[in-house]
Amino acid sequence: MLELLEKEQIELFTKEEYKQGEYIAHELDRCDKVFFVIQGEISISSYSLDGKEIVMNYLSKDSLFGNVLSFTKSPYFLGDIICKKDCLLLVISKNSLLNLLGENQKFLNAYLEYMCEETIKVKKQAKLFSYKKIEERIMYYLHAISLETKSSKVNIKSVTNLAYILCLPRESVSRSLKHLILEGYISKKNNQITIL
């Protein structure tokens, strides 16, 4: 989306670089900027009462954060923003972004499209979490990906990654995949799952 900007418009952004393990922001810090991830990986994490890390989101190249939060009545980060792989961010203030959206129609359209896609992801995730049974959650996810790709074959990075996406323990996902195979709902070869 940034490729739609003129050179003088890009100059409204500041560059910020972070090394792996550095905190970009802490939970409850005020958020009045929008961050574009140019390179690297970032996690947004909070902690349970017993100190266990809860990863709420994982961001990589071409992701944004602060894009919703900075426009709310309570613009405070909901978790720690941590650099997981060396990051380069382009950062713009809320007011500068508003001006930019008003003067560049193509950028406005791309920005709104990104926001709508992110909203749809959140709604899909809410639906995913409404399935309490592990096997139902797995099948809902596989069907959703199948519809997007128009294929009955779904490629996954790994069972561990699938468990992360589903917010379930890896062992439970592995066991449920085996059960779904035995019941004839899916077949699995390496990292490709076929819906039968």
Side-chain angles (χ1 to χ4, degrees), residues 135-150:
E135 288 159 9
E136 289 178 349
R137 191 179 291 191
I138 291 169
M139 289 306 296
Y140 169 75
Y141 175 77
L142 294 174
H143 279 292
I145 298 300
S146 176
L147 286 172
E148 284 178 21
T149 61
K150 297 180 172 75

Side-chain angles (χ1 to χ4, degrees), residues 87-99:
C87 295
L88 172 61
L89 307 176
L90 286 183
V91 183
I92 189 167
S93 71
K94 170 184 162 180
N95 291 333
S96 294
L97 178 63
L98 284 171
N99 291 333

Side-chain angles (χ1 to χ4, degrees), residues 93-118:
S93 71
K94 170 184 162 180
N95 291 333
S96 294
L97 178 63
L98 284 171
N99 291 333
L100 186 56
L101 292 169
E103 64 188 42
N104 186 323
Q105 185 72 39
K106 288 181 180 177
F107 182 70
L108 171 63
N109 287 340
Y111 186 82
L112 289 175
E113 184 178 309
Y114 178 89
M115 296 290 286
C116 291
E117 291 295 330
E118 289 300 302

Side-chain angles (χ1 to χ4, degrees), residues 15-70:
K15 285 184 183 178
E16 293 184 8
E17 295 183 58
Y18 295 89
K19 297 289 183 196
Q20 182 176 343
E22 281 189 281
Y23 282 72
I24 297 164
H26 292 279
E27 190 167 351
L28 300 180
D29 283 353
R30 186 174 182 81
C31 176
D32 55 4
K33 299 174 186 170
V34 177
F35 301 78
F36 290 72
V37 182
I38 305 305
Q39 68 183 42
E41 293 180 4
I42 293 167
S43 72
I44 302 176
S45 302
S46 193
Y47 297 88
S48 65
L49 291 175
D50 62 358
K52 182 180 176 191
E53 182 180 23
I54 302 164
V55 178
M56 297 181 292
N57 205 349
Y58 205 76
L59 306 171
S60 57
K61 185 179 189 283
D62 297 329
S63 297
L64 306 180
F65 64 96
N67 48 314
V68 174
L69 199 54
S70 60

Side-chain angles (χ1 to χ4, degrees), residues 73-176:
K73 291 180 182 175
S74 183
Y76 301 97
F77 284 111
L78 302 175
D80 291 330
I81 316 298
I82 306 165
C83 176
K84 292 297 185 179
K85 286 189 181 172
D86 291 1
C87 295
L88 172 61
L89 307 176
L90 286 183
V91 183
I92 189 167
S93 71
K94 170 184 162 180
N95 291 333
S96 294
L97 178 63
L98 284 171
N99 291 333
L100 186 56
L101 292 169
E103 64 188 42
N104 186 323
Q105 185 72 39
K106 288 181 180 177
F107 182 70
L108 171 63
N109 287 340
Y111 186 82
L112 289 175
E113 184 178 309
Y114 178 89
M115 296 290 286
C116 291
E117 291 295 330
E118 289 300 302
T119 301
I120 289 169
K121 280 184 195 175
V122 169
K123 290 188 180 290
K124 284 181 180 177
Q125 193 172 39
K127 186 172 181 181
L128 177 71
F129 292 152
S130 72
Y131 291 99
K132 300 302 177 203
K133 293 182 180 176
I134 295 172
E135 288 159 9
E136 289 178 349
R137 191 179 291 191
I138 291 169
M139 289 306 296
Y140 169 75
Y141 175 77
L142 294 174
H143 279 292
I145 298 300
S146 176
L147 286 172
E148 284 178 21
T149 61
K150 297 180 172 75
S151 171
S152 62
K153 297 181 186 310
V154 176
N155 293 311
I156 61 172
K157 290 181 182 176
S158 66
V159 174
T160 301
N161 182 255
L162 179 61
Y164 171 78
I165 290 167
L166 300 174
C167 292
L168 294 166
R170 185 207 176 285
E171 299 77 20
S172 299
V173 171
S174 181
R175 194 170 36 252
S176 293

